[in-house]
Amino acid sequence: MSEQQSEYLTSLGQQAKQASYALANLTGQQKQQLLSAIAEQLKVDADKIVAANSQDVAQAKQNGLNDAMIDRLLLDHPRLAAVIADIDNVINLADPVGTELESQLLDNGLRLSRRRVPLGVIGVIYEARPNVTVDIAVLALKTGNAVILRGGKETLQSNLAISSSIRQAVVAQGLPADVVQLIANPDRALVSGLLKLDRYVDMIVPRGGQNLQRLCAEQATIPVILGGIGICHLYVDSAANLSQSVAVIINAKVQRPTVCNALDTVLVHQSVASELLAELFAALQAQQVKIYACAATLALAAQLSVTVEQADSDTYGQEWLGLSLNIRIVDDISAAVAHIRQYSSGHSEGILTDSLQASAQFINEVDSAAVYVNASTRFTDGGQFGLGAEVAVSTQKLHARGPMGLEALTTYKWIGVGDYTPRS
C-alpha cells in the first residue's frame, strides 16, 4: 500500500470517528427522521441508482461474470423498492441503544448498571450486492454507529450512487456526511489497509466468499465477524412426510439459489430413499437443477433414467450459489449429523421429520447458527427473523451468531452512580 493510500485511509478513519460522536446524543425520534429522510432520498434518486446499476451489470457481463454473480449484482426498480421498504422495517424496530441490560444496588451504595451503547465505527467489506450499502448504512445509523464501506469493483457505480443519496439525506438532517463513507478506489491494497485501521475502526464485517473471510481473519488487527458462507443441509428422516419434504427441498434450493441460505445438500434416510427420490428427481428436473449423487443415489437414478453426476468430497464442500444440489443416502440420523459436521460451514441446517425424538436429537447435535425442524433453510435472514435488514449472517460464536440485526451493532458500558461514594 502506498503512502498516499495510507494517508487516505487514515483520513477516512479520523473522519468516521469524529462523525460518530455526532450520533451519540441522537434521540430515537431523530434517528427515525434520519432513516425516513434516507428512504425518501433513495426514492427521489431511484432512476439514477438503477441507471448506475445498469452500467455495473453491463460491465459484469462484458467481464464474463457468471449468472449467479450478476443476479446478486442486479438492482432494478422492484428490487430497489424492496430495499427501501426494508428501511421502514428498521425504523419500526425498537432502538437498543440506551437500554439497561441489568441494574443492581451494591452493598456499598453504588447503583451499577449495564447500558447498551454503539460500537463506534464499523468497517464493512462486501462484494456483488449493492443493496448491502443501504442495509448496512441504515442499521449502523439506527444504532449510532459511523460506517466505512468497501464494496466490490463490480458494484462501484451502484455504490457511488447509493452512498451519494444517503450522504445527501444525512447532511439535510444536520449531521456530518462522514457518518457514511465509501472507499471508491477498487485497489485491493485498501482492503488490507482497512483491516489494520484499529485506531479508528471498532469492528470489521466481511460479506463475501471464503477467500475474503480468510483474508480478514489472517490480516485484521480489528475484531472480525466471520460468516456469510452457507453450505446448507436438509436431512429427510425416516419419519418424514415425503411429499411435504419435497416441497420444502424445492423451496430451499430454487426460490433464490444464488444466496448463502440456499440449500446445497440433501441427506436422505435409506429406508425412505426409493420413495422420496422418485418424486424429488422429477421435481428437481422440472426446475433444471443439476444433481450430484452418492453411489446409492446413482443406482436409483439409473433405474429411473435420471441423469446425475458423481458426488465427492469436493462437491459436498461446495456452496453452489446456483442450480446444483448434492444428494446423499445415509444409514440413519447419526450418519446425517456426521456428514453435516464434516462439511457444514455452520450456517443453516434442517431436519424434515414427524418424530419429536429425531428432531430433538438433531437440534442438540447439529452446531450451526440456525437449525430448523420442518422448514426451509431460506428463513435464515434478518428480515425473516424480524430483525429488519441484516448486517451479515455470522457463523462464529462470540458476540453475534446467525443473522445480525441492531443489537449485534452495540456493545455495553458499565454505569456506576454513587453519592460521592469512596471505596472502602
Side-chain angles (χ1 to χ4, degrees):
M1 185 171 61
S2 69
E3 182 177 349
Q4 184 178 11
Q5 288 175 324
S6 179
E7 291 175 354
Y8 167 68
L9 284 175
T10 298
S11 176
L12 285 183
Q14 291 173 338
Q15 290 163 187
K17 180 64 75 175
Q18 188 62 39
S20 71
Y21 301 144
L23 301 172
N25 287 316
L26 290 185
T27 65
Q29 183 177 2
Q30 288 172 317
K31 291 178 185 178
Q32 290 177 343
Q33 292 172 349
L34 172 59
L35 299 193
S36 294
I38 290 172
E40 288 305 312
Q41 191 63 51
L42 290 171
K43 291 177 184 176
V44 169
D45 295 339
D47 288 342
K48 295 179 183 178
I49 293 168
V50 171
N53 181 257
S54 296
Q55 296 179 42
D56 287 331
V57 170
Q59 187 63 51
K61 291 179 178 177
Q62 185 177 332
N63 293 340
L65 267 67
N66 61 40
D67 290 343
M69 288 294 287
I70 290 173
D71 180 68
R72 287 184 169 206
L73 172 59
L74 179 64
L75 191 64
D76 55 18
H77 278 287
R79 286 192 180 184
L80 179 59
V83 170
I84 295 171
D86 281 340
I87 297 177
D88 288 334
N89 295 335
V90 177
I91 290 172
N92 293 328
L93 293 172
D95 184 356
V97 174
T99 58
E100 286 195 351
L101 302 176
E102 60 178 297
S103 179
Q104 59 180 317
L105 181 63
L106 304 182
D107 291 342
N108 58 19
L110 191 69
R111 168 66 66 178
L112 191 64
S113 62
R114 285 194 300 143
R115 183 180 300 172
R116 285 201 180 277
V117 296
L119 285 165
V121 178
I122 302 164
V124 184
I125 305 166
Y126 53 109
E127 294 174 341
R129 286 190 181 175
N131 63 291
V132 173
T133 306
V134 178
D135 293 347
I136 296 295
V138 166
L139 286 170
L141 294 174
K142 175 81 173 187
T143 49
N145 293 290
V147 64
I148 299 175
L149 303 167
R150 200 283 187 180
K153 63 181 180 180
E154 68 281 351
T155 58
L156 182 57
Q157 299 306 317
S158 305
N159 290 336
L160 284 170
I162 292 170
S163 63
S164 175
S165 296
I166 292 173
R167 286 165 63 88
Q168 185 176 340
V170 167
V171 171
Q173 293 296 305
L175 294 166
D178 291 334
V179 294
V180 177
Q181 296 180 89
L182 175 73
I183 298 176
N185 188 333
D187 192 334
R188 293 183 67 86
L190 290 169
V191 173
S192 296
L194 176 61
L195 296 176
K196 295 178 172 58
L197 211 61
D198 53 273
R199 185 174 176 182
Y200 307 108
V201 179
D202 298 286
M203 186 174 76
I204 292 288
V205 180
R207 289 186 59 156
Q210 190 168 0
N211 290 339
L212 175 61
Q213 301 284 327
R214 185 47 45 199
L215 174 73
C216 293
E218 292 175 352
Q219 295 192 12
T221 58
I222 306 166
V224 176
I225 298 292
L226 298 177
I229 301 171
I231 302 176
C232 303
H233 302 77
L234 281 175
Y235 165 60
V236 183
D237 184 50
S238 59
N241 180 309
L242 300 186
S243 293
Q244 289 183 300
S245 294
V246 169
V248 173
I249 291 167
I250 295 300
N251 173 265
K253 179 67 264 181
V254 309
Q255 195 239 8
R256 194 173 178 193
T258 60
V259 293
C260 60
N261 57 21
L263 182 63
D264 296 292
T265 296
V266 176
L267 303 169
V268 184
H269 193 287
Q270 53 84 24
S271 68
V272 297
S274 295
E275 183 179 354
L276 174 80
L277 293 180
E279 185 176 350
L280 181 59
F281 284 148
L284 292 172
Q285 285 182 313
Q287 297 291 336
Q288 299 182 317
V289 177
K290 185 175 182 179
I291 302 169
Y292 292 83
C294 68
T297 304
L298 282 169
L300 284 173
Q303 295 174 18
L304 298 168
S305 300
V306 175
T307 301
V308 299
E309 294 194 17
Q310 177 73 54
D312 55 28
S313 59
D314 289 336
T315 66
Y316 291 140
Q318 179 71 42
E319 182 187 24
W320 289 116
L321 301 176
L323 290 175
S324 296
L325 181 69
N326 297 306
I327 299 177
R328 184 176 187 179
I329 297 172
V330 294
D331 290 340
D332 52 27
I333 189 172
S334 295
V337 170
H339 177 101
I340 292 169
R341 287 175 178 171
Q342 181 174 358
Y343 294 105
S344 172
S345 61
H347 193 291
S348 302
E349 332 294 346
I351 181 173
L352 302 171
T353 186
D354 290 334
S355 166
L356 293 176
Q357 180 179 352
S359 62
Q361 180 180 348
F362 191 86
I363 291 170
N364 291 335
E365 295 184 2
V366 172
D367 187 19
S368 291
V371 180
Y372 297 97
V373 176
N374 297 332
S376 170
T377 58
R378 287 283 290 115
F379 284 105
T380 308
D381 171 85
Q384 294 292 316
F385 278 22
L387 304 178
E390 70 185 26
V391 183
V393 177
S394 170
T395 55
Q396 63 184 33
K397 299 183 181 181
L398 299 179
H399 171 60
R401 196 179 194 196
M404 294 172 56
L406 295 177
E407 288 188 0
L409 296 183
T410 67
T411 182
Y412 62 84
K413 66 172 64 171
W414 291 96
I415 309 293
V417 178
D419 185 16
Y420 300 90
T421 307
R423 176 175 171 174
S424 59

